[in-house]
Coordinates of all heavy atoms in Angstrom, one line a residue:
I1 N 43.5 112.0 137.1 CA 44.1 113.2 136.8 C 43.3 114.4 137.1 O 42.0 114.2 137.0 CB 44.5 113.2 135.4 CG1 45.4 112.1 134.9 CG2 44.9 114.7 134.9 CD1 45.6 112.0 133.5
L2 N 43.7 115.4 137.8 CA 43.1 116.7 138.1 C 43.5 117.8 137.2 O 44.9 118.1 137.2 CB 43.2 117.0 139.5 CG 42.4 118.2 139.8 CD1 40.9 118.3 139.6 CD2 42.8 118.8 141.3
I3 N 42.8 118.4 136.4 CA 43.2 119.5 135.5 C 42.6 120.7 136.2 O 41.4 121.0 136.3 CB 42.6 119.5 134.1 CG1 43.3 118.0 133.5 CG2 43.1 120.6 133.3 CD1 42.6 117.8 132.1
V4 N 43.6 121.7 136.5 CA 43.3 122.9 137.2 C 43.6 124.0 136.2 O 44.6 124.4 135.9 CB 44.0 123.2 138.4 CG1 43.5 124.5 139.2 CG2 43.9 122.0 139.5
E5 N 42.4 124.5 135.5 CA 42.4 125.5 134.5 C 41.2 126.1 134.3 O 40.2 125.6 134.3 CB 42.7 124.6 133.1 CG 42.6 125.4 131.8 CD 43.5 126.5 131.8 OE1 44.8 126.2 131.7 OE2 43.1 127.6 131.5
D6 N 41.4 127.5 134.3 CA 40.2 128.4 134.3 C 39.6 128.6 132.9 O 38.4 129.1 132.9 CB 40.4 129.8 135.0 CG 41.6 130.6 134.2 OD1 42.5 129.8 133.8 OD2 41.4 131.8 134.2
E7 N 40.3 128.5 131.9 CA 39.8 128.5 130.5 C 38.9 127.2 130.3 O 39.5 126.1 129.9 CB 40.8 128.7 129.5 CG 41.7 130.0 129.6 CD 40.8 131.2 129.3 OE1 39.7 131.2 128.4 OE2 41.1 132.3 129.9
G8 N 37.6 127.4 130.3 CA 36.7 126.2 130.2 C 36.9 125.4 129.0 O 36.9 124.2 129.0
D9 N 37.0 126.1 127.7 CA 37.0 125.3 126.5 C 38.4 124.5 126.6 O 38.3 123.3 126.2 CB 37.2 126.1 125.3 CG 35.8 126.7 125.0 OD1 34.7 126.2 125.5 OD2 35.7 127.7 124.3
L10 N 39.5 125.0 127.0 CA 40.9 124.3 127.1 C 40.7 123.2 128.0 O 41.1 122.0 127.8 CB 41.9 125.3 127.5 CG 43.3 124.6 127.7 CD1 43.7 123.8 126.4 CD2 44.3 125.7 128.0
R11 N 40.1 123.5 129.3 CA 39.9 122.4 130.3 C 39.1 121.3 129.7 O 39.5 120.1 129.9 CB 39.4 123.0 131.5 CG 39.3 121.9 132.7 CD 38.7 122.6 134.0 NE 37.3 123.0 133.6 CZ 36.8 124.3 133.6 NH1 37.7 125.2 133.8 NH2 35.7 124.6 133.3
D12 N 38.1 121.7 129.2 CA 37.1 120.5 128.6 C 37.8 119.5 127.6 O 37.7 118.5 127.4 CB 35.9 121.1 128.1 CG 34.9 121.7 129.2 OD1 35.3 121.4 130.4 OD2 34.0 122.6 129.0
S13 N 38.6 120.4 126.7 CA 39.3 119.6 125.7 C 40.3 118.7 126.3 O 40.4 117.5 125.7 CB 39.9 120.6 124.6 OG 39.0 121.4 123.9
M14 N 41.0 119.1 127.2 CA 42.0 118.2 127.9 C 41.3 117.1 128.5 O 41.9 116.0 128.4 CB 42.8 119.1 128.9 CG 43.8 120.2 128.1 SD 44.4 121.3 129.4 CE 45.6 120.3 130.3
I15 N 40.3 117.3 129.2 CA 39.6 116.2 129.9 C 39.0 115.3 128.9 O 39.2 114.1 129.0 CB 38.3 116.8 130.7 CG1 38.8 117.5 131.8 CG2 37.4 115.7 131.0 CD1 37.8 118.4 132.7
D16 N 38.4 115.7 127.7 CA 38.0 114.8 126.7 C 39.0 114.0 126.1 O 38.8 112.8 125.9 CB 37.3 115.6 125.6 CG 35.9 116.3 126.0 OD1 35.4 115.9 127.1 OD2 35.3 117.2 125.3
Y17 N 40.1 114.7 125.8 CA 41.3 113.8 125.1 C 41.7 112.7 126.1 O 42.0 111.6 125.7 CB 42.4 114.8 124.7 CG 43.6 114.1 124.2 CD1 43.6 113.6 122.8 CD2 44.6 113.7 125.0 CE1 44.6 112.8 122.4 CE2 45.7 113.1 124.7 CZ 45.7 112.5 123.3 OH 46.7 111.9 122.8
L18 N 42.0 113.2 127.3 CA 42.5 112.2 128.4 C 41.5 111.0 128.6 O 42.0 110.0 128.9 CB 43.0 113.0 129.6 CG 44.2 113.9 129.5 CD1 44.5 114.7 130.7 CD2 45.5 112.9 129.1
E19 N 40.3 111.3 128.7 CA 39.3 110.3 128.8 C 39.2 109.3 127.7 O 39.2 108.2 127.8 CB 37.9 111.0 129.1 CG 37.8 111.5 130.5 CD 36.3 112.1 130.8 OE1 35.6 112.6 129.8 OE2 36.1 112.4 131.9
L20 N 39.3 109.9 126.5 CA 39.4 109.0 125.3 C 40.7 108.1 125.4 O 40.6 107.0 124.8 CB 39.5 109.9 124.0 CG 38.3 110.4 123.6 CD1 38.5 111.4 122.4 CD2 37.3 109.4 123.2
E21 N 41.7 108.6 126.0 CA 42.9 107.8 126.2 C 42.8 106.7 127.4 O 43.8 106.0 127.6 CB 44.2 108.6 126.4 CG 44.5 109.4 125.1 CD 44.9 108.6 123.9 OE1 45.7 107.6 124.2 OE2 44.6 108.8 122.8
G22 N 41.7 106.9 128.0 CA 41.5 105.8 129.1 C 41.7 106.3 130.5 O 41.6 105.5 131.5
F23 N 42.0 107.4 130.7 CA 42.3 108.1 132.1 C 40.9 108.6 132.6 O 40.0 109.1 132.0 CB 43.2 109.3 132.0 CG 44.6 108.9 131.6 CD1 45.0 109.2 130.2 CD2 45.5 108.4 132.4 CE1 46.2 108.7 129.8 CE2 46.8 108.0 132.0 CZ 47.1 108.2 130.7
R24 N 40.9 108.5 133.9 CA 39.8 109.2 134.8 C 40.2 110.6 135.1 O 41.3 110.7 135.6 CB 39.5 108.4 135.9 CG 38.9 107.2 135.8 CD 38.5 106.4 137.1 NE 39.2 106.9 138.1 CZ 39.3 106.2 139.3 NH1 38.6 105.2 139.6 NH2 40.0 106.8 140.4
V25 N 39.5 111.6 134.7 CA 39.8 113.1 134.8 C 38.7 113.9 135.5 O 37.6 113.6 135.1 CB 40.1 113.4 133.4 CG1 40.7 114.8 133.5 CG2 41.1 112.6 132.8
D26 N 39.2 114.7 136.3 CA 38.4 115.7 136.8 C 39.0 117.1 136.5 O 40.2 117.1 136.2 CB 38.3 115.6 138.4 CG 37.5 114.4 139.0 OD1 36.6 114.0 138.2 OD2 37.9 113.8 139.9
G27 N 38.0 118.1 136.5 CA 38.5 119.4 136.2 C 38.1 120.4 137.4 O 37.2 120.1 138.2
A28 N 38.9 121.5 137.5 CA 38.6 122.5 138.4 C 38.9 123.8 137.7 O 40.0 123.8 137.1 CB 39.3 122.3 139.7
S29 N 38.2 124.9 138.1 CA 38.4 126.2 137.4 C 39.1 127.1 138.2 O 39.5 128.2 137.9 CB 37.2 126.8 136.9 OG 36.3 127.0 137.8
T30 N 39.2 126.9 139.6 CA 39.8 127.6 140.6 C 40.7 126.9 141.6 O 40.5 125.8 141.6 CB 38.8 128.5 141.4 OG1 38.0 127.5 142.1 CG2 37.8 129.3 140.5
L31 N 41.5 127.6 142.3 CA 42.4 126.9 143.3 C 41.3 126.3 144.4 O 41.7 125.3 145.0 CB 43.4 127.8 143.7 CG 44.4 128.3 142.7 CD1 45.2 129.4 143.3 CD2 45.2 127.1 142.2
V32 N 40.5 127.1 144.8 CA 39.5 126.7 145.8 C 38.9 125.3 145.5 O 38.8 124.5 146.2 CB 38.4 127.8 146.1 CG1 37.3 127.2 147.0 CG2 39.1 129.1 146.9
A33 N 38.4 125.3 144.2 CA 37.8 124.1 143.7 C 38.8 123.0 143.7 O 38.5 121.8 143.9 CB 37.2 124.2 142.3
A34 N 40.0 123.3 143.2 CA 41.1 122.1 143.3 C 41.4 121.6 144.7 O 41.5 120.4 144.9 CB 42.3 122.7 142.6
T35 N 41.4 122.5 145.7 CA 41.7 122.1 147.1 C 40.6 121.3 147.5 O 40.8 120.3 148.2 CB 41.8 123.5 147.9 OG1 42.9 124.2 147.5 CG2 42.0 123.1 149.4
T36 N 39.4 121.6 147.2 CA 38.3 120.7 147.6 C 38.3 119.4 147.1 O 38.1 118.5 147.7 CB 36.9 121.4 147.3 OG1 36.8 122.7 147.9 CG2 35.7 120.6 147.5
R37 N 38.6 119.4 145.7 CA 38.6 118.0 145.2 C 39.9 117.2 145.7 O 39.7 116.0 145.9 CB 38.9 118.1 143.6 CG 37.8 118.7 142.8 CD 37.8 118.4 141.3 NE 36.5 118.6 140.7 CZ 35.5 117.7 140.5 NH1 35.5 116.6 141.1 NH2 34.4 118.1 139.9
I38 N 41.0 117.7 145.9 CA 42.1 117.1 146.5 C 41.8 116.5 147.9 O 42.3 115.5 148.3 CB 43.4 118.0 146.5 CG1 43.9 118.1 145.1 CG2 44.4 117.4 147.3 CD1 45.0 119.0 144.8
Q39 N 41.0 117.2 148.6 CA 40.7 116.8 150.0 C 39.8 115.6 149.9 O 39.6 114.9 150.9 CB 39.9 117.9 150.8 CG 40.9 119.0 151.0 CD 40.4 120.2 151.6 OE1 39.1 120.4 151.6 NE2 41.1 121.2 152.3
T40 N 39.0 115.3 148.8 CA 38.1 114.2 148.8 C 38.5 113.3 147.9 O 37.8 112.2 147.8 CB 36.7 114.8 148.3 OG1 36.8 115.4 147.2 CG2 36.1 115.8 149.4
Q41 N 39.6 113.5 147.1 CA 40.0 112.5 146.0 C 41.5 112.5 146.0 O 42.0 113.5 146.0 CB 39.2 112.8 144.7 CG 39.7 112.1 143.4 CD 39.1 110.6 143.5 OE1 37.9 110.4 143.9 NE2 39.7 109.7 143.1
R42 N 41.9 111.2 145.7 CA 43.3 111.0 145.4 C 43.6 111.1 144.1 O 43.0 110.5 143.3 CB 44.0 109.8 146.0 CG 45.5 109.8 146.0 CD 45.9 108.4 146.5 NE 47.4 108.3 146.4 CZ 48.1 108.1 145.2 NH1 47.4 108.1 144.1 NH2 49.5 108.1 145.2
Y43 N 44.6 111.9 143.6 CA 45.1 112.0 142.1 C 46.4 111.6 142.0 O 47.4 112.0 142.8 CB 44.8 113.5 141.7 CG 43.4 113.9 141.7 CD1 42.9 114.5 142.8 CD2 42.5 113.6 140.6 CE1 41.5 115.0 142.7 CE2 41.2 113.9 140.6 CZ 40.8 114.6 141.7 OH 39.4 115.1 141.7
D44 N 46.8 111.0 140.9 CA 48.2 110.6 140.6 C 48.9 111.8 140.0 O 50.2 111.9 140.1 CB 48.2 109.3 139.7 CG 47.7 108.2 140.3 OD1 47.9 108.0 141.5 OD2 47.1 107.4 139.7
I45 N 48.2 112.6 139.1 CA 48.7 113.8 138.4 C 47.7 115.0 138.5 O 46.6 114.8 138.5 CB 48.8 113.4 136.9 CG1 49.8 112.2 136.8 CG2 49.4 114.6 136.2 CD1 49.8 111.7 135.4
V46 N 48.4 116.1 138.7 CA 47.7 117.4 138.6 C 48.2 118.1 137.6 O 49.5 118.5 137.6 CB 47.8 118.1 140.0 CG1 47.1 119.5 139.9 CG2 47.1 117.2 141.2
I47 N 47.4 118.6 136.6 CA 47.9 119.5 135.6 C 47.4 120.9 136.2 O 46.2 121.1 136.2 CB 47.4 119.1 134.3 CG1 47.8 117.7 133.9 CG2 47.7 120.0 133.2 CD1 47.1 117.2 132.5
L48 N 48.4 121.6 136.2 CA 48.1 122.9 136.9 C 48.4 124.2 136.1 O 49.5 124.5 135.7 CB 49.0 123.0 138.3 CG 48.9 124.2 139.1 CD1 47.4 124.4 139.7 CD2 49.9 124.1 140.3
D49 N 47.5 125.1 135.9 CA 47.7 126.4 135.4 C 48.2 127.3 136.4 O 47.8 127.1 137.5 CB 46.4 126.8 134.7 CG 46.6 128.1 133.9 OD1 47.6 128.5 133.5 OD2 45.5 128.8 133.6
L50 N 49.1 128.3 136.0 CA 49.6 129.2 136.9 C 48.7 130.2 137.1 O 48.6 130.9 138.2 CB 51.0 129.6 136.5 CG 52.1 128.6 136.6 CD1 53.3 129.1 136.3 CD2 52.1 127.8 137.9
G51 N 48.2 130.9 136.1 CA 47.2 132.1 136.1 C 45.8 131.7 136.4 O 45.1 131.5 135.4
L52 N 45.4 131.7 137.6 CA 44.1 131.3 138.0 C 43.3 132.6 138.5 O 43.9 133.4 139.2 CB 43.9 130.0 138.8 CG 44.5 128.9 138.1 CD1 45.0 127.8 139.2 CD2 43.4 128.3 137.2
P53 N 42.0 132.6 138.5 CA 41.2 133.8 139.0 C 41.4 134.1 140.5 O 41.3 135.2 140.9 CB 39.9 133.6 138.7 CG 39.6 132.1 138.3 CD 41.0 131.6 137.8
D54 N 41.7 133.0 141.2 CA 41.6 133.2 142.7 C 43.1 133.1 143.3 O 43.3 132.9 144.4 CB 40.7 132.3 143.5 CG 41.0 130.9 143.1 OD1 41.6 130.5 142.2 OD2 40.4 129.9 143.8
G55 N 44.2 133.2 142.4 CA 45.5 133.0 143.0 C 46.4 132.5 141.9 O 46.2 132.1 140.9
D56 N 47.8 132.6 142.3 CA 48.8 132.0 141.6 C 49.0 130.5 141.8 O 49.2 130.1 143.0 CB 50.1 132.8 142.0 CG 51.2 132.1 141.2 OD1 51.3 132.4 139.9 OD2 52.2 131.6 141.7
G57 N 49.0 129.6 140.7 CA 49.0 128.2 140.9 C 50.4 127.9 141.5 O 50.4 126.9 142.3
L58 N 51.5 128.5 141.2 CA 52.8 128.0 141.8 C 52.8 128.4 143.4 O 53.2 127.5 144.1 CB 53.9 128.9 141.1 CG 55.4 128.4 141.4 CD1 55.5 127.0 141.0 CD2 56.3 129.5 140.6
Q59 N 52.2 129.5 143.7 CA 52.2 129.7 145.3 C 51.3 128.7 145.9 O 51.5 128.2 147.0 CB 51.6 131.1 145.4 CG 51.7 131.6 146.9 CD 53.1 131.5 147.5 OE1 54.0 132.0 146.9 NE2 53.4 130.8 148.6
W60 N 50.1 128.3 145.2 CA 49.2 127.3 145.8 C 50.0 126.0 145.9 O 49.8 125.2 146.9 CB 48.0 127.2 144.9 CG 47.0 126.0 145.2 CD1 46.1 126.1 146.1 CD2 46.9 124.8 144.7 NE1 45.4 124.9 146.2 CE2 45.9 124.1 145.3 CE3 47.7 124.1 143.7 CZ2 45.6 122.7 144.9 CZ3 47.3 122.7 143.3 CH2 46.3 122.1 144.0
L61 N 50.8 125.6 144.9 CA 51.5 124.4 144.9 C 52.5 124.4 146.1 O 52.6 123.4 146.9 CB 52.2 124.2 143.6 CG 53.0 123.0 143.4 CD1 52.2 121.8 143.5 CD2 53.7 123.0 142.1
R62 N 53.1 125.5 146.4 CA 54.2 125.7 147.3 C 53.4 125.5 148.7 O 54.0 124.9 149.8 CB 54.8 127.0 147.3 CG 56.0 127.2 146.4 CD 56.5 128.5 146.4 NE 57.5 128.6 145.3 CZ 57.5 129.7 144.3 NH1 56.7 130.7 144.7 NH2 58.4 129.7 143.4
D63 N 52.2 126.1 148.9 CA 51.5 126.2 150.2 C 50.6 124.8 150.4 O 50.2 124.6 151.6 CB 50.6 127.3 150.2 CG 51.2 128.7 150.2 OD1 52.4 128.7 150.4 OD2 50.5 129.7 149.9
S64 N 50.3 124.2 149.4 CA 49.6 123.0 149.4 C 50.3 121.9 150.0 O 51.3 121.3 149.3 CB 48.8 122.7 148.0 OG 47.9 121.7 148.3
G65 N 50.0 121.3 151.2 CA 50.5 120.1 151.6 C 49.8 118.9 151.4 O 50.0 117.7 152.0
S66 N 48.7 119.0 150.6 CA 47.7 117.9 150.4 C 47.7 117.2 149.1 O 46.6 116.6 148.7 CB 46.2 118.4 150.9 OG 45.9 119.4 149.9
L67 N 48.8 117.4 148.4 CA 48.9 116.7 147.0 C 49.0 115.2 147.1 O 48.8 114.5 146.1 CB 49.9 117.3 146.2 CG 49.6 118.8 145.7 CD1 50.7 119.3 144.9 CD2 48.2 118.8 145.1
Q68 N 49.3 114.8 148.4 CA 49.4 113.2 148.5 C 50.3 112.6 147.6 O 50.1 111.5 147.0 CB 48.0 112.7 148.5 CG 47.1 113.3 149.5 CD 45.6 112.7 149.3 OE1 45.3 112.1 148.2 NE2 44.7 112.9 150.2
G69 N 51.4 113.3 147.3 CA 52.4 112.7 146.4 C 52.1 112.6 144.9 O 52.8 112.0 144.1
A70 N 51.1 113.4 144.4 CA 50.8 113.5 143.1 C 51.8 114.1 142.3 O 52.6 115.2 142.8 CB 49.5 114.3 142.9
G71 N 52.0 113.7 141.1 CA 53.0 114.4 140.2 C 52.4 115.7 139.7 O 51.0 115.6 139.6
V72 N 53.0 116.7 139.3 CA 52.4 118.0 138.9 C 53.1 118.3 137.5 O 54.4 118.3 137.4 CB 52.8 119.1 139.9 CG1 52.1 120.3 139.4 CG2 52.1 118.7 141.3
I73 N 52.3 118.7 136.6 CA 52.6 119.1 135.3 C 52.1 120.6 135.3 O 50.8 121.0 135.6 CB 52.0 118.4 134.1 CG1 52.6 117.1 134.2 CG2 52.3 119.1 132.8 CD1 51.9 116.1 133.2
I74 N 52.9 121.6 135.1 CA 52.6 123.1 135.1 C 52.4 123.5 133.7 O 53.2 123.2 132.8 CB 53.7 123.8 135.9 CG1 53.6 123.5 137.4 CG2 53.3 125.3 135.7 CD1 54.7 124.2 138.2
T75 N 51.3 124.2 133.4 CA 51.0 124.7 132.2 C 50.8 126.4 132.4 O 50.3 126.7 133.5 CB 49.7 124.2 131.5 OG1 48.5 124.6 132.3 CG2 49.8 122.7 131.3
T76 N 51.2 127.1 131.4 CA 51.1 128.6 131.6 C 51.1 129.2 130.3 O 51.8 128.7 129.4 CB 52.2 129.2 132.6 OG1 52.0 130.5 132.7 CG2 53.6 129.0 132.0
A77 N 50.4 130.3 130.1 CA 50.6 131.2 128.9 C 51.5 132.4 129.2 O 51.6 133.2 128.3 CB 49.2 131.6 128.5
R78 N 52.1 132.4 130.3 CA 53.1 133.4 130.6 C 54.3 133.3 129.6 O 54.9 132.4 129.4 CB 53.6 133.4 132.0 CG 52.5 133.5 133.1 CD 53.0 133.4 134.5 NE 51.8 133.6 135.4 CZ 51.9 133.4 136.6 NH1 53.1 132.9 137.2 NH2 50.9 133.4 137.5
G79 N 54.5 134.5 129.0 CA 55.6 134.5 127.9 C 56.9 134.9 128.4 O 57.9 134.5 127.8
A80 N 57.2 135.6 129.6 CA 58.5 135.9 129.9 C 59.2 134.9 130.3 O 58.9 134.0 131.1 CB 58.4 136.9 131.1
L81 N 60.5 134.8 129.9 CA 61.5 133.6 130.1 C 61.6 133.4 131.7 O 61.6 132.5 132.1 CB 62.8 133.9 129.5 CG 63.9 132.7 129.7 CD1 63.4 131.5 129.2 CD2 65.2 133.1 129.1
E82 N 61.7 134.4 132.4 CA 62.0 134.3 133.9 C 60.8 133.7 134.5 O 60.9 132.9 135.3 CB 62.2 135.8 134.4 CG 62.2 135.8 136.0 CD 62.4 137.2 136.4 OE1 63.2 137.9 136.1 OE2 61.7 137.5 137.4
E83 N 59.6 134.1 134.1 CA 58.4 133.3 134.5 C 58.2 132.0 134.3 O 57.8 131.2 135.1 CB 57.1 134.1 134.0 CG 56.9 135.5 134.6 CD 56.4 135.5 136.0 OE1 55.6 134.5 136.4 OE2 56.8 136.3 136.8
R84 N 58.6 131.7 133.0 CA 58.5 130.1 132.6 C 59.6 129.3 133.4 O 59.4 128.2 133.8 CB 58.6 130.1 131.1 CG 57.5 130.7 130.4 CD 57.6 130.5 128.9 NE 58.6 131.4 128.4 CZ 59.3 131.3 127.3 NH1 59.3 130.2 126.7 NH2 60.1 132.3 127.0
V85 N 60.8 129.9 133.6 CA 61.8 129.2 134.3 C 61.5 129.0 135.7 O 61.7 127.8 136.3 CB 63.1 129.9 134.1 CG1 64.2 129.3 135.1 CG2 63.7 129.8 132.7
R86 N 60.9 130.0 136.3 CA 60.5 129.9 137.8 C 59.6 128.7 137.9 O 59.5 127.9 138.8 CB 59.9 131.2 138.3 CG 59.5 131.1 139.7 CD 59.3 132.5 140.3 NE 58.5 133.3 139.5 CZ 57.3 133.9 139.8 NH1 56.9 133.7 141.0 NH2 56.7 134.6 138.9

């Protein structure tokens, strides 16, 4: 699992929990870091925040052709209904 989340405490908590459940988990705080990890490691699942310091996670997802069939779970703190539905 790759967790792409810029909030360090949240990312670390998610990693700790999933590791306790027996998953192998990596974290990335930026889209650049996520891209680098995906180029060197295959992930079954990517947990992706939309609001990242170096870009929009949804646009990155659309542009990224290198997810190698990984499932994606999107997380966001965006409150507007239109944003959440998109």
Side-chain angles (χ1 to χ4, degrees):
I1 298 173
L2 175 61
I3 299 176
V4 186
E5 169 62 59
D6 62 321
E7 295 293 329
D9 290 340
L10 177 57
R11 184 182 61 250
D12 292 344
S13 293
M14 292 168 69
I15 289 170
D16 290 346
Y17 175 78
L18 290 168
E19 286 179 339
L20 284 172
E21 293 297 317
F23 294 97
R24 291 188 335 199
V25 186
D26 291 324
S29 61
T30 65
L31 296 172
V32 170
T35 300
T36 300
R37 287 199 174 270
I38 287 172
Q39 290 172 344
T40 60
Q41 175 73 35
R42 184 185 180 285
Y43 295 97
D44 294 321
I45 300 170
V46 176
I47 300 175
L48 177 64
D49 184 19
L50 294 184
L52 294 156
D54 59 343
D56 179 67
L58 192 56
Q59 188 62 49
W60 176 82
L61 184 60
R62 288 181 185 131
D63 295 343
S64 180
S66 60
L67 290 180
Q68 302 169 347
V72 178
I73 299 171
I74 294 176
T75 62
T76 185
R78 295 178 182 172
L81 179 61
E82 179 182 309
E83 289 289 322
R84 290 181 285 152
V85 170
R86 185 169 40 124

